[in-house]
Amino acid sequence: MSISRNRKAPLRVTAAEEATEIFVIDSSLSRVASGMGSLDVKVRPGIYKVRLRSGASMEDTLVEVQEGDGATVAPRAIAFDSAAPLHGTLTTHEPHQAAWARASEPPSLHWGTGAGLFVMVRDPAIVRGKESRTEPWAGITVQDAEGRTLGAMDKDGERMQEVGVGWLHAEADPGMHLICVDTGLRGVQCMAVHLSRGWQTQVILATATVMRSRVAGEREDGPATLRRSLRRAVPADAAIFYARPGGAQDPAQAQELLRLTELVRQGLTQGRPTAPLAEVKSGRWSATGNPMLALLTGYVEAAKPKPDARLLRSLAGELAAELPGHPDVLALHLLAGGSLTPRRKGVSTITYPAQWVAPNPDDPAGRPQLLQPPMLAAGLPALLGAMDPAPGSLVQRIKESLLPGAPWLVWRRTAATRMRSAQSAR
Amino acid sequence: MTDYAIVVGIDLYPGISPLEGAQRDADEFAAWLTLPEGGGVDPANVVRLTTARFHPPLPARASQAQPTADQFRDTFIEIFTDDNGRVRPPAGRRLTLYFSGHGFMGNTTAIERAIYSANATTLAPDHIAATRYANWAVRAGLFDEMVLICDACADLSLTTSIAEPILMPLVNAARAARVRTFYAYASPAGAKAREKPLGADKQVRGIFSYLLLEALRQAPGADDGCVMATHVRDYIHNAWPETAGADILPPTIAVEPARDLLMARRPPTDKQPATTVTITAVGAGSAELVVLGGNGKACRTAALTDGQAEVSLPAGLYKAVVQGTARSTLFQAIGEVTRVDIP
């Protein structure tokens, strides 16, 4: 009954999604191979564990590789955690999907024209069978680039109280907006979102427990230690997508691409190479229809020790047409070896809008100044490699208050990071 | 050459929120460290900075809770200095720094962790710059090996900036280049470390610390009985989903395979501690059970009693077969006990 272990046999693994990581572990529990999306390796006949990882979720399958035929593993898609109630995720919830579908309806708020913003917040605890006793919309505001509050989720938003979901749906001017969440003891956390003409930016937030405490209290039978928890939206874990306002897309294909976008975002957070590069190179999807997936893929590629500069240039070029003036597109352009000004033949240049990049009259070298931050944390060092933070600008003020561990650029608002105009407003 | 360790475990955080298992994790790790068949460190060289060492009595104010960052720094310095405060290089073979408590990661590009000291509050988030202390010792070349273990969160937190330890730079580049390191963080960037009831007594323990200790005791080592850091890392990653849950991010463990560290040495006759595997084949009566190893060869046989048998196996992957039938299943033996059902 023993297996001949002299001849290697094929082990083929095809994950349901290209952003799923694959690990092959031998019977002594050592990793022998790894890949993304699919893997085709030759191994000695024997027992192996195939581990798939999507986001933070893992699934193990034990497989016996036979001499000659080998083995094939083709598991189903893995449910992973996401702030967005995507199909097949751990906390998907039909009422939350219904709330998200409101994004395709006409906006109820009008802060400007040319771009759309849909901010949704939900409490995933309700999906896990826990009553939603918190108010997920508490403390969430949308502000313009000057720090003026455009809308507060609890006052201006809509909600389905019983299922713990709320949203703000607005037409707005293209450009930077801030989404801020007052988390109580952990301060006000803010993130920049850049709205682009012709696109609706969808920001899906989920709540999490930000603080647990035990306090002395009273129960019917006398003094007792009571557990308290504070749940608030977490900007660092937000799912952000670009969609065509009111656009109709095949729902199944849309969900597949949104799942992919989320997996790439989570991979970027963990420093894992989850970009669907084979799909990009095969042309199965393009930056034209999926700008956020393209942005995240570009950043994952740029984080590699030897990034594919041609791929980065291609993504930055396509994105520049879709999201003109987007700071993350400029950051990708710079990471691909491009420059801000024509320096030498063959180096591509890119135009940038005056609202977030300004010339520096005091710098004889013509090095411009950066006024507004990008959306993604990895973009800031790329931009600051080519520009200086403008004195007094938001970029300069938030530099020391950035929160780690998030793909998005999130900072804690302090007296120093608060907008000057907001400070003087009465 | 001597080994040293500082073991920090903080449950009492009056200014933040309490933990239940950090003290226990620290005590259990310190106990393993001092076992001759474990870490083999002289008990006199293991300093515990744990809640129980200082409390009760409970502090009147949050700012009076201990251990503090200053107490850690003083302990750290005492390990490699003489009575006059002069550094004595090389100070020892290995320095182990173990932390269990509330923690966070810094907002620099470096992968680093810090642990809140017991007196931390939302206003004054005092902390111990765990990774920076370890890196300082590495750069100074004071030890041949540096083991850093942090069972703490790495998510967004009270503060974002890790305060630099107040230590004069001490650099010995030649020795630093030869230092072998094992840095293990319970949670990757942006994630929480968790604790829950674990073990036979169902006491609250940090999931990472629990699996780390299980790996140190159970991980199959090399043929010569040496359990290296890479074996420990592989064991933890393999056991993680079953212990932590399949949707909890696994720990971040950094060790260079080419510069591996010996974590434990097992006697040659007992180099692979066993997992007790209970195998059930309903309806199989008293048929014979055969367990095949990863190489396809039979490694255990047992007679089923009322369709059940118990075998003892080193951690690994196996196939259980009911002799004379087509019934079989693949399984992983890991931890102290594994249960397997043959369909």
Side-chain angles (χ1 to χ4, degrees), chain A residues 3 70 75 216 234 278 292 306 319 381:
Chain A
I3 303 166
V234 182
M292 184 51 73
K306 290 183 180 174
L319 283 165

Side-chain angles (χ1 to χ4, degrees), chain B residues 11-291:
Chain B
D11 274 341
L12 181 71
Y13 283 101
I16 309 178
S17 60
L19 291 169
E20 288 185 54
Q23 164 86 49
R24 183 174 295 110
D25 293 337
D27 285 343
E28 291 177 351
F29 184 76
W32 176 85
L33 270 177
T34 55
L35 283 176
E37 67 274 25
V41 185
D42 182 341
N45 292 339
V46 177
V47 183
R48 296 188 200 203
L49 294 175
T50 56
T51 297
R53 180 175 155 185
F54 304 100
H55 306 289
L58 289 174
R61 297 176 62 87
S63 59
Q64 292 168 354
Q66 300 178 73
T68 65
D70 283 349
Q71 285 168 329
F72 175 83
R73 189 182 65 131
D74 293 346
T75 305
F76 180 78
I77 292 171
E78 280 171 18
I79 282 179
F80 52 80
T81 54
D82 60 21
D83 292 344
N84 296 315
R86 283 190 290 262
V87 175
R88 33 181 189 85
R93 187 188 72 97
R94 174 182 293 180
L95 176 61
T96 299
L97 300 179
Y98 173 93
F99 300 91
S100 182
H102 281 305
F104 66 103
M105 62 183 287
N107 63 359
T108 64
T109 53
I111 300 170
E112 57 179 342
R113 301 287 185 274
I115 308 295
Y116 287 112
S117 49
N119 59 337
T121 64
T122 52
L123 185 64
D126 279 9
H127 54 270
I128 302 163
T131 309
R132 294 188 184 184
Y133 274 103
N135 288 343
W136 187 93
V138 170
R139 280 194 296 272
L142 294 171
F143 299 88
D144 298 336
E145 296 177 356
M146 181 71 229
V147 173
L148 171 66
I149 297 158
C150 294
D151 193 346
C153 291
D155 62 343
L156 308 177
S157 191
L158 303 174
T159 183
T160 55
S161 300
I162 296 179
E164 195 65 39
I166 304 173
L167 291 167
M168 294 301 288
L170 194 63
V171 178
N172 184 331
R175 281 190 59 81
R178 293 197 295 272
V179 177
R180 294 168 185 255
T181 60
F182 174 77
Y183 284 15
Y185 302 133
S187 49
K192 288 185 184 303
R194 296 174 194 271
E195 59 178 25
K196 65 177 187 180
L198 287 166
D201 58 4
K202 299 292 179 199
Q203 295 288 325
V204 173
R205 292 177 167 87
I207 297 171
F208 173 67
S209 287
Y210 177 81
L211 275 181
L212 171 70
L213 280 169
E214 188 177 281
L216 290 167
R217 295 182 189 121
Q218 299 274 128
D223 290 342
D224 59 1
C226 291
V227 179
M228 309 302 289
T230 47
H231 296 135
V232 172
R233 177 198 62 191
D234 291 347
Y235 184 99
I236 292 171
H237 280 153
N238 273 286
W240 188 260
E242 286 165 14
T243 306
D247 57 343
I248 304 291
L249 283 165
T252 298
I253 301 174
V255 57
E256 290 182 54
R259 295 155 60 82
D260 215 345
L261 288 79
L262 178 68
M263 300 301 281
R265 191 188 295 276
R266 315 218 189 282
T269 53
D270 183 32
K271 65 184 172 63
Q272 296 190 343
T275 298
T276 301
V277 184
T278 303
I279 301 173
T280 304
V282 175
S286 57
E288 188 175 52
L289 177 81
V290 179
V291 178

Side-chain angles (χ1 to χ4, degrees), chain A residues 235-246:
Chain A
D237 293 332
I240 302 182
F241 310 109
Y242 285 114
R244 290 293 187 195

Side-chain angles (χ1 to χ4, degrees), chain A residues 1-3 5 25-31 45-49 51 53 55-58 60 62-64 66 90 128 185-186 189 209 211-214 227 234 236 269-270 399-406 410 412, chain B residues 16-18 20 105-107 122 154-161 188-192 220 234-235 237-241 245-250 292-297 315-319 321 330-334:
Chain A
M1 195 146 183
S2 70
I3 303 166
R5 291 173 57 81
I25 294 142
D26 70 11
S27 61
S28 67
L29 305 183
S30 297
R31 187 192 297 180
I47 303 168
Y48 291 85
K49 173 157 67 175
R51 171 168 290 178
R53 178 172 170 178
S57 294
M58 291 181 283
D60 292 345
L62 298 183
V63 59
E64 189 172 12
Q66 307 278 4
L90 289 171
R128 298 190 168 107
L185 285 171
R186 294 196 178 188
Q189 296 178 9
T209 300
M211 191 64 75
R212 275 197 182 89
S213 60
R214 289 177 191 170
R227 289 176 183 234
V234 182
T269 308
Q270 300 303 326
K399 264 179 63 184
E400 301 304 319
S401 305
L402 299 177
L403 297 178
V410 181
R412 196 192 310 276
Chain B
I16 309 178
S17 60
E20 288 185 54
M105 62 183 287
N107 63 359
T122 52
D155 62 343
L156 308 177
S157 191
L158 303 174
T159 183
T160 55
S161 300
K192 288 185 184 303
D234 291 347
Y235 184 99
H237 280 153
N238 273 286
W240 188 260
D247 57 343
I248 304 291
L249 283 165
L292 308 176
N295 59 2
K297 293 179 179 171
L317 306 180
Y318 299 91
K319 182 178 184 179
V321 179
L330 304 175
F331 68 94
Q332 173 176 264
I334 207 156

Side-chain angles (χ1 to χ4, degrees), chain A residues 317-381:
Chain A
E318 285 186 49
L319 283 165
E322 289 301 320
L323 309 176
H326 197 298
D328 288 285
V329 178
L330 178 57
L332 277 188
H333 167 82
L334 293 168
L335 289 166
S339 75
L340 289 172
T341 51
R343 287 183 302 196
R344 62 180 189 273
K345 197 176 176 183
V347 176
S348 61
T349 60
I350 196 166
T351 55
Y352 45 82
Q355 67 263 32
W356 58 271
V357 179
N360 182 0
D362 298 331
D363 183 1
R367 191 175 157 93
Q369 293 179 327
L370 183 64
L371 297 162
Q372 294 182 356
M375 285 174 69
L376 282 132
L380 188 61

Side-chain angles (χ1 to χ4, degrees), chain A residues 116-202:
Chain A
L117 178 64
F118 182 81
V119 183
M120 183 175 115
V121 62
R122 68 192 192 103
D123 187 351
I126 202 164
V127 183
R128 298 190 168 107
K130 295 177 182 172
E131 186 189 350
S132 181
R133 283 171 295 189
T134 57
E135 297 196 320
W137 37 83
I140 300 175
T141 56
V142 178
Q143 300 168 8
D144 67 11
E146 304 302 320
R148 290 181 291 254
T149 297
L150 297 171
M153 186 80 93
D154 57 354
K155 284 192 292 190
D156 305 306
E158 300 170 69
R159 70 184 65 160
M160 294 186 212
Q161 181 100 28
E162 66 285 2
V163 291
V165 62
W167 62 93
L168 275 172
H169 190 186
E171 185 180 14
D173 293 326
M176 187 186 79
H177 289 66
L178 304 180
I179 295 179
C180 296
V181 180
D182 187 343
T183 65
L185 285 171
R186 294 196 178 188
V188 178
Q189 296 178 9
C190 295
M191 66 194 304
V193 289
H194 286 266
L195 275 51
S196 288
R197 187 170 298 282
W199 289 98
Q200 180 191 63
T201 306
Q202 299 183 350

